[in-house]
Amino acid sequence: MVQQKQQTPGRPRSEASHQAILQATIDVLKQQGYRATTIEAIAAEAGVGKKTIYRWWSSKAEVALEALTAHSNTHVPFLDTGSLQSDLLSYFERSFESLRGESGMLLRGIVAEALLDPAFAATFQRVFIVPRRASLVELLQRAQARGELTAETNIEVLADMIFGAKWYRFLLYPAPLDTTFAQEIVALVSCHRA
Amino acid sequence: MVQQKQQTPGRPRSEASHQAILQATIDVLKQQGYRATTIEAIAAEAGVGKKTIYRWWSSKAEVALEALTAHSNTHVPFLDTGSLQSDLLSYFERSFESLRGESGMLLRGIVAEALLDPAFAATFQRVFIVPRRASLVELLQRAQARGELTAETNIEVLADMIFGAKWYRFLLYPAPLDTTFAQEIVALVSCHRA
Amino acid sequence: MVQQKQQTPGRPRSEASHQAILQATIDVLKQQGYRATTIEAIAAEAGVGKKTIYRWWSSKAEVALEALTAHSNTHVPFLDTGSLQSDLLSYFERSFESLRGESGMLLRGIVAEALLDPAFAATFQRVFIVPRRASLVELLQRAQARGELTAETNIEVLADMIFGAKWYRFLLYPAPLDTTFAQEIVALVSCHRA
Amino acid sequence: MVQQKQQTPGRPRSEASHQAILQATIDVLKQQGYRATTIEAIAAEAGVGKKTIYRWWSSKAEVALEALTAHSNTHVPFLDTGSLQSDLLSYFERSFESLRGESGMLLRGIVAEALLDPAFAATFQRVFIVPRRASLVELLQRAQARGELTAETNIEVLADMIFGAKWYRFLLYPAPLDTTFAQEIVALVSCHRA
DNA sequence: TCTTAATCGAGACGGTACGTCTGGTCTTAGA
DNA sequence: TCTAAGACCAGACGTACCGTCTCGATTAAGA
């Protein structure tokens, strides 16, 4: 077994700095909010030169995105519990809880950046939006395979409506993301039962 | 009937400057995009002092919001065509067309600001989000009254899902907002038919 | 004898506003210092429109100059006491006292303006510098006529040196303007005695 | 002997920018005059960020003062020529010539600032006024030691009168600073001969 | 009494410069 | 070559005043 230690010349990247930057990003975001957070503040908080950040990320949004995804509780798993209703309720329960916390604030900032910067939008969609939507589509396909949804049900668009409802409330409409809402969505989806 | 001509002392606000600022905002946004647009550029384009902008608006976002809502074709009417399907299709047709144009770019910028600034978010929801959602709910209630939707259908949450699907694609998921999508949404909504 | 009441049509100048402006100028100068004093602040303090100030004066310096000269104790008289020594001592005593007070601060500001603005410098010299110098020259000529100064003494340049010493300390060199200084100048001037 | 190379971390100050700023200051002052000169114009002329100026100087006056003193021909030397008369004449000759040029305009602006800003006045007196006065006092003391001035002559106040005459004409009284004036002052000083 | 004309307080206007802030790059010495 | 530090150029930020303008209201003298 060959040692695969990708050996470039020069001093290797400092993993300590890498982690310090991510942690500092979280800390500063918590204290200042997304907009007020600056690369300078992150560098100062991490005890790191600004150049060290710019060497590895191209913008505040990129750092924030990595900080968000590195956060353990961020990726809400889509569990296979055996029924469409419990699959969705289980997912919403975890997702809503995460969005109500500081991950929510961070995510709102990241979405804002994606809306303002097409290049970052592409990254964000690739690493965040598309995989999660794929998982939801998969969940719905399992349900369809089990006969819980009619064969004619347009899974793709149903996924847009389910995620849409969540994001609409999260980003735009000032209404709570709670268990009641989750149950109401599931109830509406149930009309597509075979 | 008494003449209600609200008379404050001092030179009155210049309507010419007011309009010049809104038009300049549209022009600069078109040329530079939302993020690169600055108050300075708007002032220069409008031939107006920066103070005149700050006197009447508190941020770029506020100006952009007024410029957007002053744009005639912005407010997409919810027509009463007599059937749920055609009401929705008619609405989507006009809405999608507007979002595909420069209003879409402007609106993405405004949403980004709302995500970054809670104070502006409140304004945006009040003047933009809430009225439009109310119109959709009204449309659905008409349909329910006509017997096109079952009495048990949760209109509020259905509205969140319908608008959610639109906004999800507009803001987050890179898929087209076209007639096909409109028809697919309408088809899914139809499962709630009485 | 014709009534010379220069009668122009239209509303005549308000003497109340005139005085209010001069008094407000003094008040604001005292509180804020010369540099921080603005036409806007004077107008606000006087309860007067800015236009009313600009109608009658062309700059802050002009207003300040009138406020200074309107101040009663400003113009220090050159008394004829019968001897050169007591003439000079008497003058210095009054002059130094005035300069040590708020007139000094005001005068420093006015001199600064004169240094920065040639047009105002001309006005300042005409109404302030030249008349005072003429009075000193006259004082010295009386002394020469009385035989207290030799006939060859260059009165003009001696005046420059006497006033120069005063202004040098007042404007540039941080040393006190007091009785001792006055006596020392007089002592040096005495070497020109016949 | 220890190498005293004061080593701070980080990028060192750019001497090129430092010099460019001083030169640009001179250039802009020449073209625009003191009052119309702005930090923005200096920064633009020097091809430098405004922050770089504010990092090292606290105001336009500070930059102008350094630009003036960096100007080689500014500091007029007090030569020891062996006689009071020629010492003074030699000094005045050089001093007057300098004041008639653009150094004079610059100096007038700096004095104006000193009159308006007590903090800057202290700096200006320390680096400019006091050393020059000390040199003049020294010159007069040499003359006194040589017996050219009586022992009772108050050197300090005589210095105030000599410099006073020069500054009075330079700042306040519109009369030329020329060789005649220099000779006239020297003639008056001569009355203190032993 | 009505007209004319210049004044008044108020405050919005187009501008300019301020001093601060942030972004992203560069330049040191040292690891 | 990477690191921390921090100076660099660039330029937008929001503020403060400038001196001008535009209101309605006021105040005289002459019609």
Side-chain angles (χ1 to χ4, degrees):
Chain A
M1 199 58 171
V2 179
Q3 173 64 17
Q4 204 56 15
K5 176 91 161 300
Q6 154 80 28
Q7 193 53 52
T8 47
R11 181 172 173 176
R13 177 176 189 178
S14 159
E15 190 52 31
S17 288
H18 184 179
Q19 292 307 320
I21 289 166
L22 293 181
Q23 187 55 50
T25 302
I26 298 292
D27 294 347
V28 175
L29 281 165
K30 264 189 239 179
Q31 288 163 29
Q32 311 281 348
Y34 186 86
R35 168 156 280 182
T37 296
T38 63
I39 295 279
E40 300 224 321
I42 294 172
E45 173 77 15
V48 141
K50 283 200 289 178
K51 189 64 186 285
T52 303
I53 297 180
Y54 283 112
R55 212 187 319 272
W56 305 109
W57 294 276
S58 61
S59 68
K60 171 171 75 164
E62 303 272 359
V63 185
L65 182 56
E66 181 166 341
L68 177 70
T69 53
H71 232 45
S72 54
N73 65 330
T74 298
H75 183 67
V76 177
F78 287 78
L79 304 173
D80 186 351
T81 62
S83 94
L84 173 60
Q85 296 201 9
S86 60
D87 274 8
L88 283 177
L89 285 173
S90 148
Y91 165 74
F92 279 135
E93 205 64 52
R94 295 155 179 270
S95 171
F96 287 179
E97 188 189 340
S98 167
L99 293 178
R100 281 191 301 264
E102 62 212 15
S103 290
M105 180 268 280
L106 220 178
L107 187 52
R108 260 184 270 257
I110 289 171
V111 171
E113 294 274 11
L115 294 175
L116 294 169
D117 178 353
F120 177 68
T123 302
F124 176 59
Q125 286 161 358
R126 181 168 43 76
V127 309
F128 195 94
I129 295 296
V130 167
R132 279 162 178 76
R133 188 175 181 285
S135 295
L136 176 59
V137 166
E138 206 178 315
L139 183 158
L140 294 175
Q141 284 172 332
R142 280 201 309 269
Q144 202 169 33
R146 280 195 301 255
E148 293 182 284
L149 293 172
T150 62
E152 313 84 63
T153 306
N154 188 329
I155 297 296
E156 294 286 334
V157 177
L158 183 58
D160 288 341
M161 292 181 77
I162 292 170
F163 263 0
K166 180 184 88 165
W167 284 100
Y168 180 67
R169 284 211 178 180
F170 175 58
L171 299 176
L172 300 170
Y173 187 67
L177 291 167
D178 54 18
T179 304
T180 302
F181 186 51
Q183 292 169 337
E184 290 170 335
I185 294 174
V186 169
L188 282 182
V189 170
S190 299
C191 83
H192 300 286
R193 260 185 308 210
Chain B
M1 202 56 173
V2 177
Q3 173 65 17
Q4 205 55 21
K5 178 89 160 299
Q6 154 80 28
Q7 192 54 50
T8 48
R11 180 174 177 174
R13 179 176 187 178
S14 160
E15 190 51 33
S17 290
H18 184 178
Q19 292 308 318
I21 289 166
L22 294 181
Q23 188 54 52
T25 301
I26 298 292
D27 293 348
V28 175
L29 281 165
K30 262 190 240 180
Q31 287 163 29
Q32 310 282 346
Y34 187 87
R35 170 158 276 183
T37 295
T38 64
I39 295 279
E40 299 224 321
I42 293 171
E45 174 78 15
V48 141
K50 284 201 288 177
K51 189 66 189 292
T52 301
I53 297 180
Y54 285 112
R55 207 183 332 261
W56 304 109
W57 295 277
S58 60
S59 67
K60 172 172 74 165
E62 303 272 358
V63 185
L65 181 56
E66 180 166 341
L68 179 69
T69 53
H71 235 44
S72 55
N73 64 329
T74 299
H75 184 66
V76 176
F78 288 77
L79 305 173
D80 185 352
T81 61
S83 93
L84 173 59
Q85 296 202 6
S86 60
D87 275 7
L88 283 177
L89 285 173
S90 148
Y91 166 73
F92 279 135
E93 205 63 52
R94 294 153 178 272
S95 172
F96 288 179
E97 188 188 341
S98 169
L99 293 179
R100 282 192 300 266
E102 63 211 16
S103 289
M105 180 267 279
L106 221 178
L107 188 52
R108 259 184 271 257
I110 288 171
V111 170
E113 295 274 10
L115 294 175
L116 294 170
D117 178 353
F120 177 67
T123 301
F124 176 58
Q125 285 161 359
R126 179 168 45 77
V127 310
F128 196 94
I129 295 296
V130 167
R132 280 162 177 75
R133 189 176 180 283
S135 296
L136 176 58
V137 166
E138 206 178 314
L139 184 158
L140 295 174
Q141 284 171 332
R142 280 202 308 269
Q144 202 169 34
R146 280 193 302 253
E148 295 183 282
L149 292 172
T150 64
E152 312 83 61
T153 306
N154 189 328
I155 297 296
E156 294 286 334
V157 177
L158 183 59
D160 288 340
M161 291 182 77
I162 292 170
F163 263 0
K166 179 184 90 167
W167 284 99
Y168 181 67
R169 283 211 178 179
F170 175 57
L171 299 175
L172 300 168
Y173 187 67
L177 290 166
D178 55 18
T179 303
T180 303
F181 185 50
Q183 292 169 336
E184 289 171 337
I185 292 174
V186 170
L188 282 182
V189 170
S190 299
C191 82
H192 300 286
R193 259 182 311 209
Chain C
M1 201 57 173
V2 179
Q3 171 66 15
Q4 206 56 17
K5 176 90 164 299
Q6 156 79 29
Q7 193 52 54
T8 48
R11 180 175 177 174
R13 178 178 188 176
S14 159
E15 191 51 33
S17 288
H18 184 178
Q19 292 308 319
I21 289 166
L22 293 181
Q23 188 55 51
T25 302
I26 298 292
D27 294 347
V28 174
L29 281 165
K30 264 191 238 179
Q31 287 163 29
Q32 311 283 347
Y34 186 86
R35 168 156 281 181
T37 295
T38 64
I39 296 278
E40 301 223 321
I42 293 171
E45 173 78 14
V48 141
K50 284 199 290 177
K51 190 66 186 287
T52 302
I53 298 181
Y54 284 112
R55 213 188 320 269
W56 304 109
W57 294 276
S58 61
S59 68
K60 171 172 74 165
E62 302 274 358
V63 185
L65 182 55
E66 180 167 340
L68 178 71
T69 53
H71 233 45
S72 56
N73 64 330
T74 299
H75 183 66
V76 176
F78 288 78
L79 305 172
D80 185 351
T81 62
S83 94
L84 173 60
Q85 295 202 8
S86 59
D87 276 9
L88 282 178
L89 285 173
S90 150
Y91 166 73
F92 279 136
E93 206 63 52
R94 296 155 178 269
S95 171
F96 287 179
E97 188 188 340
S98 168
L99 293 179
R100 281 192 301 263
E102 63 212 17
S103 291
M105 179 267 280
L106 221 177
L107 188 51
R108 259 185 270 256
I110 289 171
V111 170
E113 294 274 11
L115 294 175
L116 294 170
D117 178 353
F120 177 68
T123 301
F124 176 60
Q125 286 161 359
R126 181 169 43 76
V127 309
F128 195 96
I129 296 295
V130 168
R132 280 161 178 75
R133 189 176 180 283
S135 296
L136 176 59
V137 166
E138 206 179 315
L139 184 158
L140 295 174
Q141 284 172 334
R142 281 201 308 269
Q144 203 168 34
R146 280 195 300 256
E148 293 182 282
L149 292 172
T150 63
E152 313 84 60
T153 305
N154 188 328
I155 297 297
E156 295 286 334
V157 177
L158 184 57
D160 289 341
M161 291 182 77
I162 292 170
F163 264 181
K166 180 184 90 165
W167 284 100
Y168 181 67
R169 283 212 179 180
F170 175 57
L171 299 176
L172 300 169
Y173 187 67
L177 290 167
D178 55 18
T179 305
T180 303
F181 186 50
Q183 292 170 335
E184 290 171 335
I185 293 173
V186 171
L188 282 181
V189 170
S190 298
C191 84
H192 300 286
R193 262 183 309 211
Chain D
M1 200 57 172
V2 179
Q3 172 66 17
Q4 205 55 17
K5 176 89 161 300
Q6 155 77 28
Q7 192 53 51
T8 48
R11 181 174 177 176
R13 179 177 187 177
S14 160
E15 190 52 32
S17 289
H18 185 178
Q19 291 308 320
I21 289 166
L22 294 181
Q23 188 54 52
T25 301
I26 298 291
D27 294 347
V28 175
L29 281 165
K30 260 190 243 180
Q31 288 163 28
Q32 312 281 348
Y34 186 87
R35 169 156 276 182
T37 295
T38 63
I39 296 278
E40 300 223 321
I42 294 172
E45 174 77 15
V48 141
K50 283 200 289 177
K51 188 67 187 290
T52 302
I53 296 180
Y54 284 111
R55 209 187 325 267
W56 304 108
W57 295 277
S58 60
S59 67
K60 172 172 75 164
E62 303 272 359
V63 185
L65 182 55
E66 180 165 342
L68 178 70
T69 53
H71 235 46
S72 55
N73 64 330
T74 299
H75 184 66
V76 176
F78 287 77
L79 304 173
D80 186 351
T81 62
S83 95
L84 174 60
Q85 297 203 7
S86 59
D87 275 8
L88 282 177
L89 285 173
S90 147
Y91 165 74
F92 279 135
E93 206 64 51
R94 296 153 178 271
S95 172
F96 288 179
E97 188 189 342
S98 168
L99 293 178
R100 280 191 302 265
E102 61 213 16
S103 290
M105 179 267 279
L106 220 177
L107 188 52
R108 258 184 271 256
I110 288 170
V111 171
E113 294 273 12
L115 293 175
L116 294 170
D117 178 354
F120 177 66
T123 301
F124 176 58
Q125 286 161 358
R126 180 169 43 77
V127 310
F128 196 94
I129 295 296
V130 168
R132 278 162 181 74
R133 190 177 179 284
S135 296
L136 176 59
V137 167
E138 204 178 317
L139 183 157
L140 294 174
Q141 284 171 334
R142 280 201 308 269
Q144 202 169 34
R146 279 194 302 254
E148 293 181 282
L149 292 172
T150 63
E152 313 83 63
T153 306
N154 188 329
I155 297 295
E156 295 286 335
V157 178
L158 184 57
D160 289 341
M161 291 181 78
I162 293 170
F163 264 0
K166 179 184 90 166
W167 284 100
Y168 181 67
R169 284 211 179 179
F170 176 57
L171 299 175
L172 300 169
Y173 188 67
L177 290 167
D178 55 18
T179 304
T180 302
F181 185 51
Q183 291 169 338
E184 289 171 336
I185 293 172
V186 170
L188 282 182
V189 170
S190 299
C191 84
H192 300 283
R193 260 183 312 209

